[in-house]
Amino acid sequence: MRMTGGKGADVVIDGVGGTLTGEALGCLAPGGTYAVVGYAAGREAHINLTDIISKAATVRGFTLRAFAPETLAAAQNSQKRTGRFRMRAQLRLPSGQL
Protein backbone atom coordinates (compact mmCIF):
# COMPACT_ATOMS: atom_id res chain seq x y z
CA MET A 1 0.00 0.00 0.00
CA ARG A 2 2.93 2.32 0.71
CA MET A 3 4.09 2.10 -2.91
CA THR A 4 0.68 3.19 -4.17
CA GLY A 5 0.18 6.02 -1.70
CA GLY A 6 -2.56 4.04 0.04
CA LYS A 7 -4.58 3.55 -3.16
CA GLY A 8 -3.78 -0.14 -3.54
CA ALA A 9 -2.72 -2.16 -6.56
CA ASP A 10 -4.94 -2.48 -9.62
CA VAL A 11 -3.68 -6.05 -10.10
CA VAL A 12 -2.08 -8.50 -7.67
CA ILE A 13 -0.51 -11.61 -9.22
CA ASP A 14 -0.01 -14.21 -6.50
CA GLY A 15 2.14 -17.27 -7.02
CA VAL A 16 2.59 -17.87 -3.29
CA GLY A 17 -0.90 -18.31 -1.81
CA GLY A 18 -1.16 -19.86 1.63
CA THR A 19 -1.09 -17.48 4.57
CA LEU A 20 -0.14 -14.52 2.33
CA THR A 21 -3.37 -14.63 0.33
CA GLY A 22 -5.28 -12.44 2.78
CA GLU A 23 -2.53 -9.81 2.77
CA ALA A 24 -2.42 -9.86 -1.02
CA LEU A 25 -6.18 -9.29 -1.24
CA GLY A 26 -5.90 -6.48 1.28
CA CYS A 27 -3.49 -4.66 -1.07
CA LEU A 28 -6.02 -4.39 -3.90
CA ALA A 29 -7.41 -1.06 -5.02
CA PRO A 30 -11.17 -0.73 -5.41
CA GLY A 31 -12.15 -2.57 -8.59
CA GLY A 32 -8.80 -4.41 -8.60
CA THR A 33 -8.06 -7.91 -9.83
CA TYR A 34 -6.42 -10.67 -7.81
CA ALA A 35 -4.91 -13.38 -10.02
CA VAL A 36 -3.89 -16.72 -8.53
CA VAL A 37 -1.08 -18.29 -10.54
CA GLY A 38 0.32 -20.76 -8.00
CA TYR A 39 0.44 -21.86 -4.39
CA ALA A 40 4.08 -22.19 -3.35
CA ALA A 41 3.12 -21.62 0.31
CA GLY A 42 0.17 -24.00 0.21
CA ARG A 43 -3.24 -24.58 -1.32
CA GLU A 44 -5.23 -23.55 1.76
CA ALA A 45 -5.87 -19.86 2.35
CA HIS A 46 -7.99 -17.91 4.80
CA ILE A 47 -9.37 -14.67 3.46
CA ASN A 48 -11.59 -11.88 4.66
CA LEU A 49 -14.49 -11.81 2.20
CA THR A 50 -14.96 -8.14 3.00
CA ASP A 51 -11.72 -7.47 1.06
CA ILE A 52 -13.42 -8.85 -2.05
CA ILE A 53 -16.91 -7.41 -1.51
CA SER A 54 -16.03 -3.89 -0.35
CA LYS A 55 -13.50 -3.43 -3.15
CA ALA A 56 -15.71 -5.02 -5.84
CA ALA A 57 -12.64 -7.10 -6.62
CA THR A 58 -12.29 -9.69 -9.36
CA VAL A 59 -10.62 -12.97 -8.42
CA ARG A 60 -9.16 -15.01 -11.28
CA GLY A 61 -7.32 -18.28 -11.53
CA PHE A 62 -4.63 -18.81 -14.14
CA THR A 63 -3.39 -22.03 -15.70
CA LEU A 64 -1.20 -22.83 -18.68
CA ARG A 65 -3.85 -25.37 -19.74
CA ALA A 66 -5.91 -22.43 -20.99
CA PHE A 67 -3.42 -21.91 -23.83
CA ALA A 68 -3.62 -23.78 -27.12
CA PRO A 69 -1.15 -26.69 -27.41
CA GLU A 70 0.68 -24.93 -30.25
CA THR A 71 1.20 -21.82 -28.10
CA LEU A 72 2.70 -23.89 -25.29
CA ALA A 73 4.87 -25.82 -27.76
CA ALA A 74 6.21 -22.56 -29.24
CA ALA A 75 7.05 -21.26 -25.75
CA GLN A 76 8.79 -24.53 -24.87
CA ASN A 77 10.80 -24.48 -28.12
CA SER A 78 11.83 -20.88 -27.47
CA GLN A 79 12.94 -21.80 -23.96
CA LYS A 80 14.99 -24.74 -25.30
CA ARG A 81 16.69 -22.50 -27.88
CA THR A 82 17.48 -19.60 -25.56
CA GLY A 83 17.64 -21.32 -22.18
CA ARG A 84 15.10 -18.91 -20.72
CA PHE A 85 11.49 -17.84 -20.90
CA ARG A 86 10.60 -14.35 -21.97
CA MET A 87 7.83 -12.53 -20.19
CA ARG A 88 6.44 -9.13 -20.98
CA ALA A 89 4.99 -7.12 -18.15
CA GLN A 90 4.32 -3.50 -17.44
CA LEU A 91 4.41 -1.84 -14.05
CA ARG A 92 3.19 1.71 -13.66
CA LEU A 93 4.15 3.63 -10.57
CA PRO A 94 3.54 7.27 -9.76
CA SER A 95 6.49 9.33 -10.99
CA GLY A 96 7.57 10.03 -7.40
CA GLN A 97 8.05 6.29 -6.82
CA LEU A 98 10.58 5.76 -9.64
Side-chain angles (χ1 to χ4, degrees):
M1 296 295 281
R2 178 180 50 82
M3 289 179 63
T4 63
K7 175 187 173 279
D10 293 326
V11 177
V12 172
I13 301 172
D14 184 2
V16 179
T19 58
L20 296 178
T21 300
E23 290 183 46
L25 280 169
C27 292
L28 277 178
T33 299
Y34 172 77
V36 183
V37 300
Y39 42 86
R43 294 178 182 196
E44 302 274 331
H46 297 282
I47 61 170
N48 182 340
L49 293 175
T50 304
D51 287 332
I52 297 171
I53 296 167
S54 67
K55 295 179 181 189
T58 300
V59 177
R60 307 253 344 191
F62 175 84
T63 178
L64 289 173
R65 292 183 299 235
F67 290 96
E70 6 352 297
T71 302
L72 293 175
Q76 187 176 33
N77 288 336
S78 174
Q79 191 270 334
K80 286 179 182 176
R81 277 193 319 277
T82 64
R84 61 189 171 121
F85 281 109
R86 290 186 57 166
M87 288 185 65
R88 294 172 68 179
Q90 184 177 28
L91 174 64
R92 293 183 190 169
L93 296 173
S95 60
Q97 298 292 320
L98 298 177

Short mmCIF file of all heavy atoms in Angstrom, two decimals, residues 51-88:
data_model
loop_
_atom_site.label_atom_id
_atom_site.label_comp_id
_atom_site.label_asym_id
_atom_site.label_seq_id
_atom_site.Cartn_x
_atom_site.Cartn_y
_atom_site.Cartn_z
N ASP A 51 -12.73 -8.01 1.98
CA ASP A 51 -11.72 -7.47 1.06
C ASP A 51 -12.17 -7.61 -0.39
O ASP A 51 -11.83 -6.79 -1.24
CB ASP A 51 -10.37 -8.15 1.24
CG ASP A 51 -9.66 -7.73 2.51
OD1 ASP A 51 -9.90 -6.59 2.97
OD2 ASP A 51 -8.87 -8.52 3.03
N ILE A 52 -12.93 -8.64 -0.69
CA ILE A 52 -13.42 -8.85 -2.05
C ILE A 52 -14.69 -8.01 -2.28
O ILE A 52 -14.80 -7.30 -3.28
CB ILE A 52 -13.72 -10.33 -2.31
CG1 ILE A 52 -12.41 -11.14 -2.20
CG2 ILE A 52 -14.35 -10.53 -3.68
CD1 ILE A 52 -12.62 -12.63 -2.24
N ILE A 53 -15.62 -8.08 -1.35
CA ILE A 53 -16.91 -7.41 -1.51
C ILE A 53 -16.76 -5.89 -1.50
O ILE A 53 -17.23 -5.20 -2.41
CB ILE A 53 -17.90 -7.86 -0.42
CG1 ILE A 53 -18.19 -9.35 -0.58
CG2 ILE A 53 -19.18 -7.04 -0.47
CD1 ILE A 53 -18.91 -9.96 0.61
N SER A 54 -16.10 -5.35 -0.48
CA SER A 54 -16.03 -3.89 -0.35
C SER A 54 -15.23 -3.24 -1.46
O SER A 54 -15.45 -2.07 -1.78
CB SER A 54 -15.44 -3.51 1.01
OG SER A 54 -14.09 -3.90 1.09
N LYS A 55 -14.32 -3.99 -2.07
CA LYS A 55 -13.50 -3.43 -3.15
C LYS A 55 -14.04 -3.80 -4.52
O LYS A 55 -13.45 -3.43 -5.53
CB LYS A 55 -12.06 -3.94 -3.01
CG LYS A 55 -11.41 -3.43 -1.74
CD LYS A 55 -10.01 -3.95 -1.61
CE LYS A 55 -9.41 -3.44 -0.30
NZ LYS A 55 -8.00 -3.74 -0.19
N ALA A 56 -15.16 -4.55 -4.56
CA ALA A 56 -15.71 -5.02 -5.84
C ALA A 56 -14.60 -5.66 -6.67
O ALA A 56 -14.46 -5.41 -7.86
CB ALA A 56 -16.39 -3.87 -6.60
N ALA A 57 -13.81 -6.49 -6.00
CA ALA A 57 -12.64 -7.10 -6.62
C ALA A 57 -13.03 -8.27 -7.53
O ALA A 57 -14.06 -8.92 -7.34
CB ALA A 57 -11.67 -7.59 -5.55
N THR A 58 -12.18 -8.52 -8.50
CA THR A 58 -12.29 -9.69 -9.36
C THR A 58 -11.21 -10.67 -8.94
O THR A 58 -10.05 -10.28 -8.78
CB THR A 58 -12.09 -9.30 -10.84
OG1 THR A 58 -13.10 -8.35 -11.20
CG2 THR A 58 -12.17 -10.51 -11.75
N VAL A 59 -11.57 -11.93 -8.77
CA VAL A 59 -10.62 -12.97 -8.42
C VAL A 59 -10.55 -13.93 -9.59
O VAL A 59 -11.58 -14.43 -10.06
CB VAL A 59 -11.04 -13.73 -7.14
CG1 VAL A 59 -10.06 -14.85 -6.83
CG2 VAL A 59 -11.14 -12.75 -5.97
N ARG A 60 -9.34 -14.16 -10.10
CA ARG A 60 -9.16 -15.01 -11.28
C ARG A 60 -8.12 -16.07 -11.00
O ARG A 60 -7.15 -15.82 -10.32
CB ARG A 60 -8.67 -14.17 -12.47
CG ARG A 60 -9.50 -12.97 -12.78
CD ARG A 60 -10.32 -13.02 -13.98
NE ARG A 60 -9.98 -14.06 -14.91
CZ ARG A 60 -10.47 -14.11 -16.11
NH1 ARG A 60 -11.30 -13.20 -16.51
NH2 ARG A 60 -10.18 -15.08 -16.92
N GLY A 61 -8.32 -17.23 -11.56
CA GLY A 61 -7.32 -18.28 -11.53
C GLY A 61 -6.63 -18.34 -12.88
O GLY A 61 -7.23 -17.99 -13.90
N PHE A 62 -5.39 -18.76 -12.90
CA PHE A 62 -4.63 -18.81 -14.14
C PHE A 62 -3.97 -20.18 -14.27
O PHE A 62 -3.42 -20.70 -13.30
CB PHE A 62 -3.55 -17.73 -14.16
CG PHE A 62 -2.65 -17.81 -15.37
CD1 PHE A 62 -3.04 -17.22 -16.55
CD2 PHE A 62 -1.45 -18.48 -15.31
CE1 PHE A 62 -2.22 -17.30 -17.67
CE2 PHE A 62 -0.63 -18.56 -16.43
CZ PHE A 62 -1.02 -17.97 -17.61
N THR A 63 -4.05 -20.77 -15.43
CA THR A 63 -3.39 -22.03 -15.70
C THR A 63 -2.87 -22.05 -17.13
O THR A 63 -3.48 -21.46 -18.03
CB THR A 63 -4.33 -23.22 -15.47
OG1 THR A 63 -3.64 -24.43 -15.80
CG2 THR A 63 -5.59 -23.13 -16.30
N LEU A 64 -1.75 -22.71 -17.33
CA LEU A 64 -1.20 -22.83 -18.68
C LEU A 64 -2.09 -23.70 -19.56
O LEU A 64 -2.01 -23.63 -20.78
CB LEU A 64 0.21 -23.39 -18.63
CG LEU A 64 1.26 -22.44 -18.08
CD1 LEU A 64 2.60 -23.16 -17.92
CD2 LEU A 64 1.43 -21.22 -18.96
N ARG A 65 -2.95 -24.51 -18.95
CA ARG A 65 -3.85 -25.37 -19.74
C ARG A 65 -4.82 -24.55 -20.57
O ARG A 65 -5.42 -25.06 -21.51
CB ARG A 65 -4.62 -26.31 -18.82
CG ARG A 65 -3.74 -27.35 -18.16
CD ARG A 65 -4.62 -28.27 -17.35
NE ARG A 65 -5.30 -27.49 -16.32
CZ ARG A 65 -5.26 -27.76 -15.03
NH1 ARG A 65 -4.62 -28.79 -14.59
NH2 ARG A 65 -5.89 -27.00 -14.17
N ALA A 66 -4.99 -23.27 -20.24
CA ALA A 66 -5.91 -22.43 -20.99
C ALA A 66 -5.34 -22.05 -22.36
O ALA A 66 -6.08 -21.56 -23.21
CB ALA A 66 -6.23 -21.16 -20.20
N PHE A 67 -4.04 -22.26 -22.56
CA PHE A 67 -3.42 -21.91 -23.83
C PHE A 67 -3.52 -23.08 -24.81
O PHE A 67 -3.50 -24.25 -24.43
CB PHE A 67 -1.94 -21.56 -23.63
CG PHE A 67 -1.75 -20.25 -22.92
CD1 PHE A 67 -1.54 -20.22 -21.55
CD2 PHE A 67 -1.79 -19.05 -23.61
CE1 PHE A 67 -1.37 -19.02 -20.89
CE2 PHE A 67 -1.61 -17.85 -22.96
CZ PHE A 67 -1.41 -17.83 -21.60
N ALA A 68 -3.59 -22.75 -26.08
CA ALA A 68 -3.62 -23.78 -27.12
C ALA A 68 -2.32 -24.57 -27.10
O ALA A 68 -1.25 -24.01 -26.81
CB ALA A 68 -3.82 -23.13 -28.49
N PRO A 69 -2.36 -25.87 -27.41
CA PRO A 69 -1.15 -26.69 -27.41
C PRO A 69 -0.02 -26.11 -28.26
O PRO A 69 1.15 -26.18 -27.90
CB PRO A 69 -1.62 -28.04 -27.95
CG PRO A 69 -3.07 -28.08 -27.63
CD PRO A 69 -3.54 -26.66 -27.72
N GLU A 70 -0.38 -25.49 -29.39
CA GLU A 70 0.68 -24.93 -30.25
C GLU A 70 1.36 -23.74 -29.60
O GLU A 70 2.55 -23.51 -29.78
CB GLU A 70 0.21 -24.53 -31.62
CG GLU A 70 -1.10 -24.48 -32.23
CD GLU A 70 -2.37 -24.99 -31.69
OE1 GLU A 70 -2.53 -26.18 -31.47
OE2 GLU A 70 -3.26 -24.16 -31.54
N THR A 71 0.61 -22.96 -28.82
CA THR A 71 1.20 -21.82 -28.10
C THR A 71 2.18 -22.30 -27.05
O THR A 71 3.29 -21.78 -26.91
CB THR A 71 0.10 -20.97 -27.45
OG1 THR A 71 -0.80 -20.53 -28.46
CG2 THR A 71 0.68 -19.77 -26.72
N LEU A 72 1.80 -23.33 -26.30
CA LEU A 72 2.70 -23.89 -25.29
C LEU A 72 3.93 -24.52 -25.94
O LEU A 72 5.04 -24.37 -25.43
CB LEU A 72 1.96 -24.92 -24.43
CG LEU A 72 0.86 -24.36 -23.55
CD1 LEU A 72 0.12 -25.48 -22.84
CD2 LEU A 72 1.43 -23.38 -22.53
N ALA A 73 3.74 -25.20 -27.06
CA ALA A 73 4.87 -25.82 -27.76
C ALA A 73 5.85 -24.75 -28.25
O ALA A 73 7.07 -24.92 -28.15
CB ALA A 73 4.37 -26.67 -28.93
N ALA A 74 5.34 -23.64 -28.78
CA ALA A 74 6.21 -22.56 -29.24
C ALA A 74 7.00 -21.97 -28.08
O ALA A 74 8.20 -21.68 -28.20
CB ALA A 74 5.39 -21.47 -29.93
N ALA A 75 6.35 -21.78 -26.92
CA ALA A 75 7.05 -21.26 -25.75
C ALA A 75 8.13 -22.23 -25.28
O ALA A 75 9.24 -21.83 -24.93
CB ALA A 75 6.06 -20.98 -24.62
N GLN A 76 7.81 -23.52 -25.29
CA GLN A 76 8.79 -24.53 -24.87
C GLN A 76 9.97 -24.57 -25.83
O GLN A 76 11.13 -24.65 -25.41
CB GLN A 76 8.13 -25.89 -24.78
CG GLN A 76 9.02 -26.95 -24.18
CD GLN A 76 8.30 -28.27 -24.01
OE1 GLN A 76 7.44 -28.61 -24.81
NE2 GLN A 76 8.66 -29.00 -22.98
N ASN A 77 9.71 -24.49 -27.13
CA ASN A 77 10.80 -24.48 -28.12
C ASN A 77 11.68 -23.25 -27.96
O ASN A 77 12.90 -23.32 -28.06
CB ASN A 77 10.23 -24.55 -29.54
CG ASN A 77 9.67 -25.90 -29.86
OD1 ASN A 77 10.06 -26.91 -29.26
ND2 ASN A 77 8.73 -25.95 -30.79
N SER A 78 11.07 -22.10 -27.70
CA SER A 78 11.83 -20.88 -27.47
C SER A 78 12.71 -21.02 -26.24
O SER A 78 13.89 -20.63 -26.26
CB SER A 78 10.87 -19.70 -27.30
OG SER A 78 11.57 -18.54 -26.94
N GLN A 79 12.16 -21.61 -25.20
CA GLN A 79 12.94 -21.80 -23.96
C GLN A 79 14.10 -22.75 -24.21
O GLN A 79 15.21 -22.52 -23.73
CB GLN A 79 12.02 -22.35 -22.85
CG GLN A 79 12.64 -22.33 -21.48
CD GLN A 79 13.39 -23.61 -21.14
OE1 GLN A 79 13.10 -24.67 -21.67
NE2 GLN A 79 14.34 -23.48 -20.28
N LYS A 80 13.90 -23.79 -25.00
CA LYS A 80 14.99 -24.74 -25.30
C LYS A 80 16.09 -24.06 -26.10
O LYS A 80 17.27 -24.29 -25.87
CB LYS A 80 14.44 -25.94 -26.07
CG LYS A 80 13.66 -26.90 -25.21
CD LYS A 80 13.12 -28.05 -26.05
CE LYS A 80 12.28 -28.99 -25.21
NZ LYS A 80 11.68 -30.05 -26.03
N ARG A 81 15.70 -23.19 -27.05
CA ARG A 81 16.69 -22.50 -27.88
C ARG A 81 17.50 -21.48 -27.08
O ARG A 81 18.70 -21.37 -27.23
CB ARG A 81 16.00 -21.77 -29.04
CG ARG A 81 15.70 -22.61 -30.23
CD ARG A 81 15.32 -21.76 -31.45
NE ARG A 81 14.46 -20.63 -31.18
CZ ARG A 81 13.13 -20.68 -31.06
NH1 ARG A 81 12.50 -21.82 -31.19
NH2 ARG A 81 12.43 -19.59 -30.83
N THR A 82 16.82 -20.72 -26.25
CA THR A 82 17.48 -19.60 -25.56
C THR A 82 17.90 -19.93 -24.14
O THR A 82 18.70 -19.20 -23.55
CB THR A 82 16.54 -18.38 -25.51
OG1 THR A 82 15.39 -18.70 -24.73
CG2 THR A 82 16.12 -17.95 -26.91
N GLY A 83 17.32 -20.97 -23.57
CA GLY A 83 17.64 -21.32 -22.18
C GLY A 83 16.85 -20.50 -21.17
O GLY A 83 17.11 -20.54 -19.98
N ARG A 84 15.89 -19.72 -21.64
CA ARG A 84 15.10 -18.91 -20.72
C ARG A 84 13.73 -18.60 -21.33
O ARG A 84 13.55 -18.66 -22.54
CB ARG A 84 15.81 -17.61 -20.37
CG ARG A 84 16.06 -16.73 -21.57
CD ARG A 84 16.96 -15.57 -21.23
NE ARG A 84 17.33 -14.88 -22.44
CZ ARG A 84 17.08 -13.62 -22.69
NH1 ARG A 84 16.49 -12.88 -21.79
NH2 ARG A 84 17.43 -13.07 -23.82
N PHE A 85 12.80 -18.29 -20.46
CA PHE A 85 11.49 -17.84 -20.90
C PHE A 85 11.52 -16.33 -20.99
O PHE A 85 12.23 -15.67 -20.25
CB PHE A 85 10.40 -18.24 -19.89
CG PHE A 85 9.98 -19.67 -19.99
CD1 PHE A 85 10.33 -20.58 -19.01
CD2 PHE A 85 9.23 -20.11 -21.07
CE1 PHE A 85 9.94 -21.89 -19.08
CE2 PHE A 85 8.83 -21.43 -21.15
CZ PHE A 85 9.19 -22.32 -20.16
N ARG A 86 10.74 -15.80 -21.88
CA ARG A 86 10.60 -14.35 -21.97
C ARG A 86 9.20 -13.97 -21.54
O ARG A 86 8.23 -14.54 -22.01
CB ARG A 86 10.84 -13.87 -23.40
CG ARG A 86 12.28 -14.02 -23.81
CD ARG A 86 12.50 -13.41 -25.14
NE ARG A 86 12.08 -12.02 -25.09
CZ ARG A 86 12.38 -11.12 -26.00
NH1 ARG A 86 13.10 -11.46 -27.02
NH2 ARG A 86 11.95 -9.89 -25.88
N MET A 87 9.13 -13.03 -20.63
CA MET A 87 7.83 -12.53 -20.19
C MET A 87 7.79 -11.04 -20.45
O MET A 87 8.80 -10.36 -20.31
CB MET A 87 7.63 -12.77 -18.69
CG MET A 87 7.40 -14.21 -18.33
SD MET A 87 7.04 -14.37 -16.59
CE MET A 87 5.50 -13.50 -16.45
N ARG A 88 6.62 -10.57 -20.80
CA ARG A 88 6.44 -9.13 -20.98
C ARG A 88 5.46 -8.66 -19.93
O ARG A 88 4.37 -9.20 -19.80
CB ARG A 88 5.92 -8.85 -22.37
CG ARG A 88 6.93 -9.21 -23.44
CD ARG A 88 6.34 -9.11 -24.80
NE ARG A 88 6.06 -7.72 -25.12
CZ ARG A 88 5.55 -7.33 -26.27
NH1 ARG A 88 5.26 -8.20 -27.18
NH2 ARG A 88 5.32 -6.06 -26.49
#
